[in-house]
Amino acid sequence: TMKRSLIALFSFVVIHAQAQNTTIPASIYDFKIPALNGSTIDMAQYKGKKILIVNTASKCGFTPQYKALQAISEKYKDSLVVVGFPSNNFLRQEPDNDEKIAAFCQQNYGVTFPMASKIDVKGRNTAPIYIWLTQKKYNNYADSKVKWNFQKYLINEEGKLVEIFPPTTLPDSKEVIDAIEK
C-alpha cells in the first residue's frame, strides 16, 4: 500500500541520515572500540606503532590467515599491533556471537592480539572505523571497498593509512612484511 511504502521510504531516509551524520574522528587514535572480551580497545594506546587492521571471519577459506596474523603480531610486537574486526558481511561466514568468536580464535589459532566486538565493515551499518578506513576524505590516502574477509589496512607510526592489502595477500607475504619493516 501507499502508506506502507511511505513508511518504508521514511525509515530508509532516517536510517541513511543517521549513518551520514555519524561523527567520524579525524585520527585513527580517536577511536575507542568495544572489544570481544567486553573491554575497550583504545587506538590511542598504539601511537608510535604500526597497526594492521583486518576484518576476520571464522568460517572463511581465508580463516587460516589467523595463524600468520598471530605469528607477525608476536614477531613484531615492539613495532606492530594487529587488530581483528570480526564481521558477518560476506556469505554469513561469521555467524557466532563475541564469546564463541573469542573461543574459536583462542582454541584454533592461539590469538592474543586485540579483537574487536563483531561489526559491519560495509553496508548501511558500517562501523565508524571502517568508514574512516574506506573513505579518502577521512583517511587522506584512498577510497576502498572491503572486498572480502581478511582485507588488511596498515596504519603507520603516525596514525596515517599507508597500505591496503587484499584478502588474498597473506599476512606473512613479502609485500606485507616489507611494509611492516619499512
Side-chain angles (χ1 to χ4, degrees):
T1 66
M2 180 71 158
K3 185 177 178 186
R4 194 171 289 144
S5 297
L6 284 172
I7 290 170
L9 177 65
F10 179 74
S11 298
F12 171 79
V13 169
V14 168
I15 289 166
H16 190 72
Q18 287 170 337
Q20 295 306 309
N21 289 333
T22 302
T23 303
I24 307 301
S27 167
I28 193 79
Y29 300 130
D30 294 330
F31 286 96
K32 289 178 178 35
I33 297 144
L36 261 188
N37 64 10
S39 68
T40 298
I41 300 169
D42 182 351
M43 298 302 278
Q45 70 186 318
Y46 306 129
K47 281 182 182 172
K49 284 188 172 191
K50 287 187 168 96
I51 306 168
L52 188 66
I53 294 176
V54 186
N55 61 304
T56 62
S58 302
K59 294 171 173 50
C60 176
F62 296 129
T63 301
Q65 288 189 27
Y66 269 126
K67 185 176 181 192
L69 288 167
Q70 180 61 30
I72 66 171
S73 83
E74 290 172 16
K75 180 176 180 182
Y76 296 101
K77 66 181 181 291
D78 296 331
S79 59
L80 171 80
V81 64
V82 175
V83 184
F85 284 85
S87 129
N88 197 31
N89 292 121
F90 302 98
L91 289 183
R92 296 185 285 290
Q93 293 181 343
E94 189 56 275
D96 292 332
N97 64 23
D98 285 359
E99 194 175 16
K100 285 184 178 169
I101 294 166
F104 172 88
C105 291
Q106 182 55 48
Q107 288 163 1
N108 293 287
Y109 298 100
V111 168
T112 58
F113 56 82
M115 292 284 294
S117 187
K118 190 160 92 173
I119 62 160
D120 282 344
V121 299
K122 67 176 198 161
R124 74 168 181 233
N125 296 317
T126 301
I129 193 163
Y130 267 82
I131 293 173
W132 189 92
L133 288 168
T134 58
Q135 294 186 24
K136 186 175 182 175
K137 69 180 177 180
Y138 300 116
N139 65 45
N140 296 307
Y141 176 71
D143 285 321
S144 66
K145 288 195 177 351
V146 180
K147 295 180 173 85
W148 203 258
N149 302 309
F150 292 89
Q151 183 152 314
K152 297 146 205 82
Y153 289 87
L154 185 66
I155 312 293
N156 72 9
E157 297 86 347
E158 288 83 47
K160 307 268 186 272
L161 178 60
V162 292
E163 295 272 354
I164 303 168
F165 300 102
T168 51
T169 302
L170 299 177
D172 52 1
S173 68
K174 182 173 176 7
E175 304 98 293
V176 176
I177 297 303
D178 286 351
I180 290 169
E181 292 181 348
K182 212 183 264 177

